Amino acid sequence: MIRICFADRDNTAPWGNTPLGAADAWITGHRTSNPSPRGSLARPMGLMQTLTSGDVCTLSPSTASICGWTGATELPSVAALTESAAERLGQHIGAAIIRPGIRRVFIDADLFPGIAAALASGLVLRAEPRLCHKSRHDTPFDDATACPEEVVIITTNPTRATNAWTEREPATRATIWARHLIDTPANHLTPAALQAEAETLIPLGVRVTTLDATALAAQGMNLLLSVGHGASQPPRLIILDWPGSDETAAPLALIGKGITFDTGGISLKPAEHMEDMKGDMGGAAAVLGALRAAATRRSPMHIVGLLAVAENAVSGRAARPGDVVMACDGSSVEIVDTDAEGRLVLADALAHARNAFAPFLMVDLATLTGAVARTLGAWHGGLFANQDDAATRLECAAQTSGEALWRLPLPSESSLDEALKSDIADLKNCAWGVAPDALHAAGFLSRFAGDTPWAHLDIAGVADAPKDTARERAGPRGFGVRLLDALIRDLETTPWPSTSML
Amino acid sequence: MKVAFAKPGLPKAGCLAVGVLETGILTPSAKEADDATCGALTRAIKASRFSGKADQTLDIIAPSGLAVDRVILVGLGKACDVTPRRMESFGASAMSAAEKGRSTELTIAIDVLSETPVSSATLAAHAALGAALKSYRFDIYRTKQKPEDKPAIASITLCLDDAAAAKTAFLPLSFIADGVGLTRDLVSEPANVLSPSLFAKVAKGLEKDGVTVEILTEKDMHKLGMGALLGVGQGSEHDSHLVVMSWQGGPKDEAPIAIVGKGVCFDSGGISIKPAAGMEEMKTDMSGAAVTTGLMQILARRKARVNVVGILGLVENMPSGTAQRPGDVVTSMSGQTIEVINTDAEGRLVLADALWYAQEVFKPKAVIDLATLTGAIVIALGSEHAGLFSNDDGLCKALTEAGTEVGEPLWRLPMGEAYDEQIKSDIADMKNTGGREAGSITAAQFLKRFVKDGTIWAHLDIAGVSWSKKALATAPKGASGFGVRLLERLIANTYETPLHPVTEKKTTPKKTGK
């Protein structure tokens, strides 16, 4: 984990007087051609030349640019940086400093405190390495896990910067945690292991209850039971309750799809890239991350997280296509495609959330459909809502956090009835053929959300960053943690229902 | 089919359609019929599951007390929801029910409902429109139709007090019905008949309505450098054409609105051939061009006070020894080069040149293109909404509102640099595919590269809505004509010069553009 410190130019305490060495990187806001950095960081040009070439990034005062191995990138001038631009700049720096051998990084640009914290956030998000299970490293410095130990950011006010970072850090670190959960292969992150991860929130003050198979049966949550029936570990509903300042207040309910591995079940997926399906609990990871962040910063909001956890495995005990199962709200579902299992586990979770907690707003996140990736690709998550207010709040949070969403329509009642018409049950779980499956899945869920204000985020397309760029590392994004954090903060400031125009 | 308006009165023959509000409340006309039949309507409602919900129908065959063959009860829903759109469905439902029998006449009774702010003349005109749109048939290739399968209704009469006002209100709507009919005809015509050349000829026929029509040949297009469009059609036996239709109904020097339609008369996919199953539907791959043509006819016939150019890129995409190959690099009229990765992504190639031509020649106020462009849009939005892409929020808003008004809804999808990256080519300025993800968006990004800076542009992907496997509210199975009414309404709402009483007689009316 990268350690972030803030210091001002006159106080060199965090690192003492250790001179810059080969294991360090110096990112400066001063032109190298016009040398005279002030204070005790003044280094003769000669010493700079002893640094391995490419270890110096220069942000020039007038046009901030990062030169060197990431290529020249023009960014707004340091003085004009906004928080979101600073976050992006932090990402660029993050990409530049993850070279084997760099231990400490100094960012020497006299940043304002809020800007410094934003930069730190972007840097951590980009630089933190992926989860690594390698048993040995082929070279002493392995690219995949290279990351600095410490980043020191020069700021005009270290105390304020540290406070600003304290505000940002929980969501940032929680995003990294979510990424690791998603990256953890399914033989390690089993339903039981995911439960154990959830239970690490207990010391933070989150109450964690798990409904096991027996409890699920008692509650009539047969859809969740059916999906998890084929696996060696039973399914479960993990309920996290963060009381906030008033645990009797109607909570915000966050529901996450937690399929620890999705083979597709009897409607088996093709083999190629099935390993990606260890990430089918990305929705649950987002909810966990959001709860961790909220609890760490002691959010005043009462938040309930529900993780519908199961492994969708193939076996003699797996659900068969055609099975008719009763959801916990009493409706019957004909499972025509066992690979449309996410909507089944979410349905039970949504209905249970409504019954047990009477939330004022429900938000579910799920890596739900291939169709949403065919629609919006890797750059916008799909947003559905049964009320415009809910949609607006989520869109606002998306803007604030930079985790993009795009609203899609819920199907009309009649077209949904037709698409999911079952001959023998209340509805089927999906339609065959060339169908707008993201819309159908959302429509299916809307039946279980009822008239409780509800938003559904289909994050199947955005869960992974497709490639290494200056701004993001290829691999799981931990999408949704920062979005939910922004939503929670917004609801803290402007309680539901919102009356203000955005 | 004849459409007439008359004073209220129970008909002596044919079918009678009357409205019933939710929870079975009879409208005055329904009450009149009920009285004449000694309560047959009330009894029928009681005995059935008909409740007056919108678009429910209940037929009462040959009730005693009336000389009609059939009384059709049509649900209107709530009185406050009786809008022109609801009346279109009302007329359409009445028509569908009437066509079940052998009657040749249909009388539709229009009532004044106090909760409805719209005049009964408008309601009647829209009911007539709905019936006319629903009565559309494409039977010209049937040679052995049994008498019982042939449509019998030859005339509809709408009865209301203000029959004269309704007749006046219906006139512009009749042009719409005809325009939609033309569009549906073009879409329904099989590709062995509707070649690019024949399509061009049909478009040329609009000259009698006052539209100026120019047809560019392949030679003309070569001269202009339209390598993208010509590449698509080069494998076909049929020549490609660019049709340029111009309606000048607005101020002489006012920049026109440009409507650009994809006219792939048959899309086999080319060398990147499509799978066989369902390929017959690809005769409809010229729906964008068909919509443009139907629209131009309407604007001309109703003498719209606006300048509009309609541009059709007409080609046939076939595999052959002369067809373009995957990997070919073509140069578009704009000078940009395109690597053709997939010859089945041909619509964007046609539009690239057509869009550029429209902007170069006409310097339009706004450009709107329509195309059955991507299969991905069907996966994205299904068959309820067409996809909307644009570089201008104002145009999007106007289009979306117009769509809601006429029942041709749009849903906007995002664009952005990250999507544009997906069409980067290793050897040319761009490639014509963007990978499996966000297919409709990357297609729109491709088109955007052919929109000049500062030009207001919108793209409608109508692949999911132009052809329906089942009957719709105001359309039978098959070609829907989606887009004609939308654009007509957009133009009327946003671009058409409103009637100016004082200046009407002047030769250069005052510009009051919105």
Side-chain angles (χ1 to χ4, degrees):
Chain A
M1 203 174 84
I2 301 170
R3 195 167 58 246
I4 302 282
C5 325
F6 301 95
D8 66 27
R9 191 161 295 290
D10 302 322
N11 179 7
T12 63
W15 61 87
N17 269 315
T18 324
L20 280 175
D24 299 335
W26 183 24
I27 297 166
T28 170
H30 306 277
R31 287 184 194 283
T32 50
S33 59
N34 182 12
S36 53
R38 293 173 289 123
S40 53
L41 272 188
R43 302 283 173 216
M45 282 303 293
L47 178 58
M48 283 183 61
Q49 270 146 26
T50 69
L51 294 173
T52 317
S53 74
D55 286 339
V56 175
C57 298
T58 311
L59 305 164
S60 67
S62 54
T63 54
S65 52
I66 298 183
C67 312
W69 60 89
T70 55
T73 313
E74 293 300 312
L75 290 156
S77 83
V78 172
L81 278 176
T82 58
E83 280 191 16
S84 56
E87 203 175 309
R88 281 201 309 277
L89 180 55
Q91 288 170 313
H92 281 263
I93 295 174
I97 56 171
I98 46 174
R99 289 164 58 77
I102 294 182
R103 266 184 47 244
R104 286 182 304 168
V105 178
F106 297 89
I107 298 176
D108 179 9
D110 282 329
L111 300 168
F112 294 123
I115 304 297
L119 188 147
S121 179
L123 189 153
V124 168
L125 286 170
R126 179 60 181 89
E128 279 285 352
R130 280 180 82 164
L131 187 73
C132 185
H133 275 241
K134 294 186 184 186
S135 62
R136 44 174 252 267
H137 299 257
D138 290 316
T139 67
F141 307 109
D142 193 313
D143 270 8
T145 51
C147 92
E149 286 169 21
E150 180 181 66
V151 173
V152 180
I153 304 174
I154 306 298
T155 168
T156 54
N157 189 327
T159 314
R160 299 256 295 270
T162 307
N163 290 340
W165 174 236
T166 307
E167 276 302 296
R168 281 181 170 268
E169 193 182 8
T172 308
R173 302 284 186 199
T175 300
I176 306 297
W177 179 50
R179 291 178 183 177
H180 288 182
L181 290 174
I182 293 165
D183 244 343
T184 307
N187 59 327
H188 295 288
L189 195 74
T190 59
L194 187 52
Q195 181 181 335
E197 290 284 346
E199 286 164 356
T200 64
L201 296 184
I202 295 175
L204 292 171
V206 178
R207 279 196 285 274
V208 181
T209 324
T210 302
L211 300 184
D212 64 9
T214 316
L216 292 177
Q219 295 282 340
M221 292 206 249
N222 303 302
L223 291 177
L224 176 54
L225 281 168
S226 162
V227 169
H229 203 247
S232 50
Q233 278 192 15
R236 60 209 69 196
L237 187 75
I238 304 174
I239 303 175
L240 305 111
D241 194 336
W242 167 251
S245 55
D246 179 8
E247 61 183 340
T248 62
L252 167 70
L254 304 175
I255 297 107
K257 169 184 175 185
I259 301 294
T260 57
F261 193 80
D262 185 16
T263 61
I266 299 292
S267 314
L268 191 68
K269 288 183 186 295
E272 194 171 342
H273 290 308
M274 209 205 286
E275 70 274 17
D276 294 343
M277 288 299 116
K278 69 182 180 179
D280 212 22
M281 30 54 69
V287 173
L288 277 173
L291 261 307
R292 175 178 284 270
T296 304
R297 69 175 177 84
R298 327 231 31 93
S299 161
M301 171 145 278
H302 181 199
I303 307 166
V304 171
L306 294 92
L307 314 180
V309 178
E311 185 185 347
N312 189 16
V314 199
S315 80
R317 286 165 39 95
R320 288 141 295 266
D323 283 0
V324 173
V325 179
M326 196 88 88
C328 76
D329 74 343
S331 36
S332 59
V333 180
E334 185 188 2
I335 303 174
V336 296
D337 183 347
T338 66
D339 195 15
E341 87 294 341
R343 64 200 73 178
L344 299 176
V345 306
L346 286 173
D348 268 347
L350 282 169
H352 183 75
R354 291 183 78 200
N355 274 341
F357 298 102
F360 67 85
L361 172 66
M362 298 193 293
V363 181
D364 75 71
L365 292 93
T367 45
L368 203 61
T369 63
V372 85
R374 300 282 300 270
T375 306
L376 297 171
W379 311 110
H380 289 83
L383 166 65
F384 299 83
N386 61 1
Q387 287 189 13
D388 286 347
D389 272 350
T392 311
R393 290 291 200 144
L394 265 305
E395 281 167 342
C396 211
Q399 278 262 59
T400 310
S401 63
E403 301 204 289
L405 294 175
W406 192 270
R407 192 173 181 190
L408 293 173
L410 281 171
S412 64
E413 280 302 305
S414 54
S415 73
L416 189 67
D417 279 338
E418 212 190 302
L420 301 182
K421 187 174 184 326
S422 164
D423 290 333
I424 60 170
D426 293 332
L427 71 171
K428 295 193 299 206
N429 70 331
C430 76
W432 291 116
V434 177
D437 190 47
L439 311 195
H440 288 166
F444 181 93
L445 292 176
S446 72
R447 296 278 164 93
F448 297 89
D451 52 21
T452 305
W454 159 78
H456 159 58
L457 275 53
D458 190 345
I459 61 171
V462 292
D464 275 353
K467 52 186 174 32
D468 276 341
T469 63
R471 295 192 55 197
E472 41 180 19
R473 194 191 276 278
R477 286 181 168 136
F479 190 100
V481 177
R482 286 168 290 142
L483 176 77
L484 290 176
D485 181 64
L487 174 72
I488 292 166
R489 286 169 186 277
D490 179 43
L491 288 168
E492 286 168 12
T493 328
T494 315
W496 183 271
S498 57
T499 50
S500 60
M501 283 297 287
L502 291 138
Chain B
M1 193 189 67
K2 246 181 69 196
V3 177
F5 299 87
K7 291 263 180 228
L10 291 170
K12 301 273 197 312
C15 296
L16 167 67
V18 292
V20 179
L21 295 164
E22 224 168 51
T23 69
I25 298 171
L26 301 178
T27 56
S29 306
K31 189 93 192 28
E32 199 189 345
D34 198 38
D35 291 340
T37 57
C38 300
L41 274 63
T42 315
R43 284 200 307 280
I45 293 173
K46 225 172 153 192
S48 70
R49 293 180 195 265
F50 178 87
S51 64
K53 247 178 77 174
D55 303 331
Q56 269 190 323
T57 58
L58 180 65
D59 293 358
I60 303 161
I61 318 289
S64 64
L66 280 177
V68 299
D69 299 334
R70 182 187 295 252
V71 174
I72 303 163
L73 305 178
V74 184
L76 283 168
K78 293 200 188 69
C80 54
D81 291 337
V82 176
T83 57
R85 290 243 322 112
R86 174 56 40 82
M87 291 309 286
E88 286 168 26
S89 305
F90 176 77
S93 302
M95 190 62 163
S96 292
E99 282 183 338
K100 284 190 251 167
R102 292 206 279 174
S103 317
T104 56
E105 299 160 35
L106 167 64
T107 305
I108 302 178
I110 305 294
D111 292 285
V112 176
L113 299 167
S114 55
E115 298 93 327
T116 312
V118 186
S119 71
S120 55
T122 307
L123 298 179
H126 280 268
L129 175 62
L133 289 172
K134 189 71 171 178
S135 72
Y136 174 84
R137 308 278 288 225
F138 190 74
D139 284 340
I140 59 174
Y141 292 109
R142 293 189 189 282
T143 65
K144 289 183 168 44
Q145 215 167 12
K146 293 201 205 98
E148 54 262 34
D149 292 335
K150 283 203 186 132
I153 299 286
S155 75
I156 60 170
T157 308
L158 294 100
C159 288
L160 69 159
D161 281 322
D162 208 351
K167 191 168 172 198
T168 313
F170 181 65
L171 184 61
L173 300 184
S174 69
F175 296 137
I176 292 180
D178 291 341
V180 172
L182 171 61
T183 298
R184 290 175 180 174
D185 282 344
L186 289 165
V187 173
S188 306
E189 281 286 359
N192 60 324
V193 172
L194 195 73
S195 61
S197 303
L198 183 60
F199 197 144
K201 228 164 144 193
V202 171
K204 191 88 171 146
L206 295 188
E207 281 184 332
K208 60 173 158 41
D209 292 313
V211 180
T212 315
V213 183
E214 190 192 350
I215 302 176
L216 275 69
T217 61
E218 289 193 354
K219 194 149 161 247
D220 299 326
M221 292 191 275
H222 263 296
K223 274 216 206 90
L224 289 164
M226 292 193 176
L229 188 156
L230 290 169
V232 175
Q234 72 188 43
S236 168
E237 294 294 306
H238 295 290
D239 280 355
S240 305
H241 290 287
L242 194 81
V243 173
V244 185
M245 301 176 280
S246 175
W247 166 252
Q248 293 269 103
K252 192 159 166 288
D253 298 320
E254 191 173 73
I257 309 303
I259 311 291
V260 181
K262 168 186 175 184
V264 178
C265 295
F266 189 78
D267 184 16
S268 65
I271 299 292
S272 315
I273 200 164
K274 288 183 188 294
M279 211 205 288
E280 69 277 12
E281 214 177 289
M282 288 300 114
K283 72 180 185 182
T284 68
D285 210 23
M286 30 52 70
S287 293
V291 169
T292 309
T293 310
L295 172 70
M296 295 303 288
Q297 182 179 276
I298 295 171
L299 295 174
R301 287 192 181 176
R302 73 169 180 74
K303 309 228 181 306
R305 292 169 308 282
V306 67
N307 297 333
V308 179
V309 295
I311 305 209
L312 317 178
L314 301 173
V315 303
E316 190 192 36
N317 188 18
M318 293 290 273
S320 80
T322 54
Q324 73 184 347
R325 291 142 291 264
D328 283 2
V329 173
V330 297
T331 306
S332 65
M333 184 182 168
S334 72
Q336 297 175 90
T337 55
I338 304 159
E339 187 186 5
V340 179
I341 298 295
N342 186 328
T343 66
D344 195 14
E346 85 295 337
R348 65 197 75 179
L349 299 174
V350 172
L351 288 172
D353 281 341
L355 281 168
W356 196 259
Y357 182 89
Q359 293 167 83
E360 281 280 280
V361 175
F362 294 100
K363 317 239 181 305
K365 214 188 269 189
V367 185
I368 302 171
D369 74 75
L370 298 102
T372 44
L373 202 63
T374 61
I377 202 71
V378 186
I379 296 182
L381 297 172
S383 51
E384 275 180 73
H385 295 83
L388 168 63
F389 303 82
S390 174
N391 60 3
D392 187 84
D393 290 348
L395 179 57
C396 273
K397 189 159 178 285
L399 274 165
T400 306
E401 279 171 9
T404 309
E405 276 179 49
V406 299
E408 300 189 340
L410 304 175
W411 194 272
R412 191 176 186 186
L413 290 176
M415 296 180 72
E417 216 185 293
Y419 295 109
D420 197 71
E421 289 269 321
Q422 291 176 231
I423 60 173
K424 275 209 171 117
S425 160
D426 290 333
I427 62 169
D429 295 331
M430 69 195 87
K431 50 185 206 234
N432 77 331
T433 53
R436 206 164 178 267
E437 296 203 337
S440 305
I441 300 177
T442 53
Q445 292 292 153
F446 183 96
L447 295 178
K448 186 160 181 286
R449 294 198 180 202
F450 297 91
V451 176
K452 298 188 188 206
D453 278 336
T455 302
I456 293 174
W457 160 77
H459 157 57
L460 305 182
D461 194 335
I462 57 171
V465 295
S466 69
W467 183 264
S468 175
K469 292 198 167 61
K470 56 177 174 67
L472 303 170
T474 50
K477 207 161 65 158
S480 63
F482 187 110
V484 178
R485 299 185 59 192
L486 165 74
L487 292 179
E488 194 277 334
R489 182 60 63 96
L490 170 81
I491 288 170
N493 286 353
T494 313
Y495 296 108
E496 203 167 341
T497 318
L499 271 172
H500 228 263
V502 175
T503 60
E504 231 198 323
K505 297 240 167 64
K506 291 203 187 139
T507 47
T508 50
K510 204 192 308 186
K511 248 205 271 201
T512 53
K514 293 176 203 186

